[in-house]
Amino acid sequence: MNQPTSNSRKKIGLALGSGALKGIAHIGVIKVLEKNHIPIDFIAGSSIGALVGALYAANPDSKALEKIVLATDLKRSLGLLDPGFKKGLLRGKKIEQFLKQCLSHKDFKDLKIPLVIAATNLKTGEAEIIKEGDVISAVRASISFPVVFEPIQREGQWLVDGGMTMTVPVKPLKDMGADIVLAVNLYNYSKRSRRFSKIKISQIGSESAEIMLYQLAKRDIKEAQVVIAPDVEGYNLLELIKHRRKILRLGEEAAEEKIPLIKKLLAKN
């Protein structure tokens, strides 16, 4: 569990970036922060980061979070898919039911850790920062990857995936008063070349989208004091589900590397 906040220490904000099921690594990061008694005062999440962030903000217990993920195997994951074919391939209603079962707090004001969620406004093309009202609809908006999920209408606005405009939501944490921002970036291209011994035409579209998100993430993390970048590249969807424990461990390993820096920043006057 997190230590109680103190007015004398620096406030820490945790930015959980987008990245689909690579976001399982977020839980590994949170586990290591808990183990090292690093307090989390604010959370901002985009896409999968919004989902993990909301679950943790409602119940700050990494063991409970890990239990949810490890219990969600391939069969259960497929059971959350509900074909729509109107404004998206999936309606997203089963995801909403899943969130209702997991979230003990349904309104932002009731969360145990202050949370903001990044989505994208289809009308304006700008990031939509959500910090009040219904949490489930905010998460549902932030994970709504265009064409795959139907967009969601919230307070008169049509919203889709937050990763399109704010891949790693660092700035909202600064606005909330965070002195130190820990940014978890799931678009780590340090070993990208290993994926290009061969290239198929079917890969070009997905690789191009990854490059766009990588560039957005690079922009977002510039203002973070600490960047945690798990090496989760190169896994397809089925591999991410199958190797959940490994992805979680990669998050732990990346966070462990940054613990000395985080403690040094906290110790500074």
Side-chain angles (χ1 to χ4, degrees):
M1 298 292 290
N2 292 308
Q3 292 179 328
T5 59
S6 165
N7 290 330
S8 62
R9 67 159 176 82
K10 295 183 176 72
K11 298 294 189 296
I12 294 181
L14 179 63
L16 301 175
S18 68
L21 287 182
K22 292 187 288 187
I24 294 169
H26 286 322
I27 300 166
V29 171
I30 292 170
K31 280 183 66 178
V32 168
L33 295 177
E34 273 191 3
K35 184 177 76 172
N36 287 275
H37 307 293
I38 304 297
I40 301 172
D41 299 295
F42 314 105
I43 300 174
S46 182
S47 197
I48 187 66
L51 174 57
V52 174
L55 292 172
Y56 191 71
N59 180 25
D61 182 350
S62 65
K63 290 182 179 178
L65 194 53
E66 183 178 11
K67 186 176 179 180
I68 292 171
V69 169
L70 295 181
T72 309
D73 56 11
L74 178 59
K75 183 177 179 181
R76 190 175 182 190
S77 298
L78 292 174
L80 295 175
L81 307 181
D82 48 353
F85 304 113
K86 288 187 178 179
K87 298 182 181 72
L89 297 176
L90 301 173
R91 290 195 299 267
K93 295 298 181 184
K94 290 187 177 181
I95 295 285
E96 290 179 26
Q97 287 300 120
F98 171 75
L99 289 169
K100 287 176 183 177
Q101 293 170 11
C102 295
L103 279 174
S104 55
H105 302 280
K106 307 299 192 296
D107 194 289
F108 278 83
K109 69 177 185 297
D110 299 321
L111 296 172
K112 295 179 182 179
I113 300 176
L115 171 74
V116 296
I117 286 175
T120 298
N121 190 313
L122 272 180
K123 182 179 179 180
T124 66
E126 300 292 335
E128 190 85 8
I129 305 303
I130 307 171
K131 53 187 176 181
E132 58 185 20
D134 176 57
V135 176
I136 291 171
S137 64
V139 173
R140 170 66 178 80
S142 190
I143 66 172
S144 296
F145 192 80
V147 182
V148 177
F149 282 100
E150 292 183 4
I152 188 167
Q153 190 171 29
R154 192 180 191 277
E155 299 181 0
Q157 302 294 328
W158 285 102
L159 305 177
V160 292
D161 198 304
M164 293 176 60
T165 48
M166 194 170 284
T167 307
V168 188
V170 170
K171 187 178 183 302
L173 292 170
K174 296 280 190 178
D175 295 339
M176 293 172 81
D179 301 301
I180 301 169
V181 173
L182 316 180
V184 187
N185 177 21
L186 301 177
Y187 295 99
N188 177 12
Y189 274 37
S190 62
K191 298 182 180 179
R192 180 175 168 78
S193 60
R194 72 187 178 196
R195 302 162 61 189
F196 282 87
S197 56
K198 292 182 180 179
I199 185 71
K200 298 177 182 178
I201 191 169
S202 59
Q203 295 176 290
I204 294 174
S206 61
E207 291 295 336
S208 299
E210 288 268 320
I211 290 169
M212 177 191 73
L213 292 167
Y214 166 62
Q215 292 296 336
L216 287 172
K218 279 209 307 183
R219 176 205 67 185
D220 292 340
I221 63 178
K222 284 180 180 177
E223 293 187 54
Q225 282 74 25
V226 179
V227 178
I228 301 170
D231 183 16
V232 288
E233 291 296 330
Y235 295 90
N236 63 39
L237 182 62
L238 293 180
E239 289 171 337
L240 288 166
I241 297 171
K242 181 179 179 181
H243 300 294
R244 300 186 302 284
R245 291 182 186 274
K246 180 178 181 181
I247 302 303
L248 200 146
R249 283 199 304 273
L250 291 172
E252 292 181 56
E253 291 169 7
E256 288 283 7
E257 291 178 3
K258 299 294 182 177
I259 290 299
L261 173 58
I262 296 169
K263 289 184 176 179
K264 182 178 179 181
L265 290 169
L266 279 170
K268 280 185 178 180
N269 294 327

